[in-house]
Amino acid sequence: MPTRTREWWRDAIVYQIYVRSFADSNGDGRGDLAGVIDHLDHLQELGVDAIWLTPCYPSPQLDHGYDVADYFDIEPMYGDLATFDRLVTQSHARDIRVMMDVVPNHCSDRHAWFQAALDSPTGSRERARFFFRDGRGEHGELPPNNWRSVFGGAAWTRVSGQGGAPGQWYLHTFSPWQPDFDWECPDVGEMFSAMYRFWFDRGVDGFRVDAVTVVGKAPGLPDAPPVALGLPETHAWALNPHTVFWPSGHDAWRLLRKVMDDYELQNPGRVLTSVSEAYTPRRPDLLLQYVRPDEFHQSFGFDLLLSPWNAKMLRHAIGDEYDVLASAGASLTWTLNNHDTQRTVTRYGRADAALPESWTGNNLVYTNTPVDIEVGTTRARAMFLFAAGLPGSLYLFQGEELGLPEVLDISDDRRQDPIFERTNRKEIGRDGCRIPLPWSNDAATAFGFSPRSVEPWMPQPADWGRWALNVQHDDPASMFTLYRNAIAGRRVIDQSTPLEWIDTEADKFIAYRRGSLVVLMNLADEATEVPTASIANGEVIVLSSNAGHADPRVLPANTCVWMQ
Ligand code: GLC
């Protein structure tokens, strides 16, 4: 068992494992749980406090596990319950907590409940667990309303009725293989309560909770207001006020929080957490709703991830959420990368990365301007160091500690994200941040991803070995070394000290103080004189740039420094 029993999650470094792409132990070209166990030493060396596993439940994998067919078992491709138990034990032995991913908005269309619903009549209890509705039009041939799905196309699919005649429609906020649960039906809350207890009994320390903003639905499912023509498909859904942030969703979070609080009471020594995936662009007031004391313990502050490389905008992205959450006593949760977002190295390397207009407020929607990987890497290093000093917890996404770029040039026939086909190939989707990790520069083993020569489920670029862990491990200038040093360096921070902004009076800089630690970042593309003399004299603890720091009054281009 991990040794610390206080609320460990408040300032934890949590490492997100996209199981399918992390490490393949059996040579089938797909990552698995035994592969995670094999690399726990890496995570321990990196210094993480917890791991978050993306969904590893039985699933047809049409959205790589975010289409769950059974919430109480392990996907055979990834292992079995015994392997999962071993993973928990071995993680805990290293003082690493284990978080799972729960998908409460929808399941797979292969889930037993949905199959039963298809076999049951209109108005049945089986159908009440989902949103089955009659169609509009003379023969019910039109969807019940005009809602759009996140991955493109209508949010409704029609099923066959008795004797194969066209029947009712069901709602799917994401793809047609992901039917939405109706949380008004008590069966749903009961099932997820039982699921939480099932995994807590196996030693799980918490959940990352998927797609929470769309779980509520307005009674009667009214049409959404029309959206402007030409909006990306993956953005149109976000403007539907009859589901996005619909308040009834919060009833679900209160129910599940009660399950967690009760579990902690009955099991002294267990300290659990839940973190919500709620994108609340520039609405810290909405973010705050998810971390009310009887809802989630944490909720990602995604404005940081969404923000361009721009001092003023970053100050707002961080400062506005900090002000609202910290003053309410709520925990801050930062992240720069995840499995749905273009990687920082690529994002910050885009020609328009610093322009305010590059803000889209949506992690699925990016511009397509040229990318300079060197600039992007330098900025990604700085941004990580800047974020690592902030109060709160920080969630990392696998491979960011290696500085992996987004892989943009995947051939069409290899793309797997449903977004690609559902948008008629207009949007490339999220495959590029999910490329199997390079553990070694040995191309014959899929760069150490697999134990032997095998074609991994997603193609790796020919030069992937350049980013391999074994190449970076002992290199003082590598991304890996920076991550390890910064995570270790966090120990100098008294985590109870608040964030205090330092007014730099310059658009090029952003700076803050945490007790005796000063964190200063130069966002300009050239070395720039430190604006405030009082902070130029500190002792450098960590520097993001390899360009040296000979003159302490001048900070290299795109660089962050920790000083004391
Ligand atoms: C969340 C997940 C994403 C998934 C979607 C549907 O946004 O992070 O990967 O596709 O929900 O479950």
Side-chain angles (χ1 to χ4, degrees):
M1 271 301 293
T3 45
R4 293 178 304 161
T5 50
R6 61 184 184 85
E7 289 182 326
W8 57 272
W9 45 268
R10 284 193 178 271
D11 51 39
I13 299 281
V14 184
Y15 183 98
Q16 179 190 358
I17 294 182
Y18 196 74
V19 178
R20 203 181 168 82
S21 300
F22 186 72
D24 164 24
S25 75
N26 62 3
D28 68 357
R30 292 172 299 220
D32 47 49
L33 295 182
V36 177
I37 297 174
D38 289 345
H39 291 281
L40 284 174
D41 287 344
H42 166 66
L43 301 178
Q44 188 174 24
E45 187 183 11
L46 192 58
V48 309
D49 300 293
I51 52 177
W52 144 32
L53 303 168
T54 52
C56 45
Y57 314 100
S59 158
Q61 302 288 322
L62 293 172
D63 191 18
H64 297 331
Y66 288 93
D67 45 334
V68 180
D70 178 358
Y71 289 83
F72 298 85
D73 207 344
I74 293 293
E75 160 63 39
M77 185 200 300
Y78 294 152
D80 53 20
L81 284 169
T83 318
F84 180 81
D85 292 345
R86 207 152 48 84
L87 168 55
V88 172
T89 309
Q90 298 216 9
S91 301
H92 285 174
R94 291 171 171 82
D95 231 3
I96 295 174
R97 319 257 166 171
V98 179
M99 298 173 68
M100 294 187 87
D101 203 320
V102 58
V103 187
N105 179 67
H106 48 268
C107 57
S108 159
D109 62 348
R110 309 313 301 171
H111 190 282
W113 277 9
F114 191 72
Q115 290 297 311
L118 291 179
D119 291 341
S120 301
T122 299
S124 59
R125 174 84 180 232
E126 285 79 3
R127 288 207 169 183
R129 294 164 177 157
F130 301 93
F131 291 95
F132 278 88
R133 296 290 184 274
D134 293 333
R136 295 197 281 201
E138 203 181 332
H139 307 289
E141 70 281 11
L142 299 172
N145 68 24
N146 67 353
W147 294 7
R148 309 296 298 166
S149 84
V150 180
F151 294 162
W156 294 91
T157 292
R158 195 170 195 188
V159 302
S160 299
Q162 274 191 331
Q168 285 194 298
W169 298 70
Y170 67 90
L171 177 68
H172 48 82
T173 299
F174 292 87
S175 75
W177 322 285
Q178 292 162 300
D180 282 34
F181 286 117
D182 185 350
W183 275 77
E184 299 291 326
C185 173
D187 293 358
V188 177
E190 276 168 29
M191 198 261 281
F192 280 100
S193 302
M195 178 213 174
Y196 270 39
R197 289 187 286 260
F198 176 86
W199 293 103
F200 293 151
D201 283 347
R202 301 195 97 88
V204 165
D205 301 288
F207 285 103
R208 175 264 189 188
V209 189
D210 186 69
V212 305
T213 62
V214 291
V215 165
K217 272 98 183 170
L221 309 178
D223 273 340
V227 295
L229 283 179
L231 268 190
E233 287 267 345
T234 49
H235 196 67
W237 68 277
L239 306 175
N240 177 0
H242 300 313
T243 175
V244 181
F245 304 124
W246 189 261
S248 65
H250 291 279
D251 296 342
W253 319 133
R254 280 188 279 270
L255 178 91
L256 294 175
R257 178 59 180 263
K258 175 107 181 32
V259 172
M260 299 183 78
D261 290 349
D262 288 351
Y263 197 93
E264 284 181 326
L265 275 178
Q266 288 153 15
N267 295 273
R270 293 292 293 278
V271 183
L272 307 172
T273 194
S274 56
V275 56
S276 84
E277 187 215 14
Y279 285 86
T280 56
R282 291 186 177 151
R283 291 290 306 273
D285 56 315
L286 289 174
L287 180 62
L288 183 63
Q289 295 185 356
Y290 292 92
V291 286
R292 287 181 284 216
D294 59 349
E295 297 199 29
F296 295 100
H297 304 75
Q298 310 178 261
S299 192
F300 291 111
F302 280 127
D303 280 7
L304 171 62
L305 173 153
L306 295 170
S307 180
W309 179 254
N310 175 291
K312 277 203 180 105
M313 293 175 84
L314 281 167
R315 164 93 187 243
H316 268 294
I318 299 166
D320 295 354
E321 289 182 346
Y322 179 80
D323 289 348
V324 172
L325 266 64
S327 59
S331 168
L332 277 299
T333 308
W334 308 109
T335 191
L336 292 164
N337 291 284
N338 63 38
H339 65 294
D340 297 323
T341 305
Q342 289 197 356
R343 287 185 178 272
T344 36
V345 164
T346 299
R347 252 162 46 213
Y348 296 146
R350 289 217 182 264
D352 62 354
L355 299 182
E357 304 82 66
S358 68
W359 160 274
T360 69
N362 184 324
N363 67 310
L364 301 176
V365 182
Y366 291 96
T367 63
N368 204 17
T369 55
V371 179
D372 181 330
I373 286 294
E374 299 309 321
V375 171
T377 302
T378 309
R379 290 175 175 173
R381 293 172 65 99
M383 194 62 237
F384 160 69
L385 192 58
F386 193 81
L390 292 171
S393 63
L394 178 63
Y395 281 62
L396 311 177
F397 176 49
Q398 67 179 40
E400 70 170 88
E401 81 278 25
L402 303 176
L404 297 184
E406 184 83 5
V407 177
L408 297 165
D409 58 349
I410 302 168
S411 64
D412 286 359
D413 60 319
R414 295 299 298 272
R415 292 203 178 275
Q416 296 203 11
D417 185 356
I419 288 178
F420 184 54
E421 291 299 341
R422 298 274 307 157
T423 61
N424 296 320
R425 304 190 165 199
K426 285 203 191 84
E427 299 179 39
I428 56 173
R430 305 158 292 174
D431 293 320
C433 63
R434 302 170 175 182
I435 306 300
L437 292 192
W439 293 97
S440 81
N441 51 352
D442 174 16
T445 58
F447 299 104
F449 174 70
S450 287
R452 54 175 175 268
S453 171
V454 65
E455 177 74 12
W457 73 275
M458 262 286 144
Q460 297 161 307
D463 65 346
W464 212 219
R466 181 180 149 193
W467 284 277
L469 179 63
N470 73 336
V471 173
Q472 299 198 29
H473 191 271
D474 300 324
D475 176 359
S478 72
M479 187 70 97
F480 174 73
T481 301
L482 173 71
Y483 268 65
R484 200 177 41 187
N485 289 347
I487 292 171
R490 268 166 68 93
R491 277 191 231 109
V492 305
I493 308 173
D494 171 358
Q495 291 294 351
S496 63
T497 45
L499 172 80
E500 212 187 305
W501 290 107
I502 299 172
D503 204 350
T504 57
E505 288 168 18
D507 286 354
K508 294 176 178 170
F509 281 94
I510 175 169
Y512 61 86
R513 198 186 301 280
R514 300 275 316 278
S516 61
L517 178 77
V518 168
V519 177
L520 174 67
M521 182 158 75
N522 173 20
L523 286 94
D525 278 326
E526 62 276 324
T528 310
E529 207 170 308
V530 173
T532 311
S534 62
I535 56 176
N537 302 320
E539 176 207 345
V540 172
I541 311 175
V542 196
L543 182 71
S544 71
S545 151
N546 292 317
H549 197 241
D551 180 352
R553 287 158 310 170
V554 176
L555 207 54
N558 295 315
T559 293
C560 177
V561 64
W562 283 11
M563 287 182 289
Q564 218 174 10

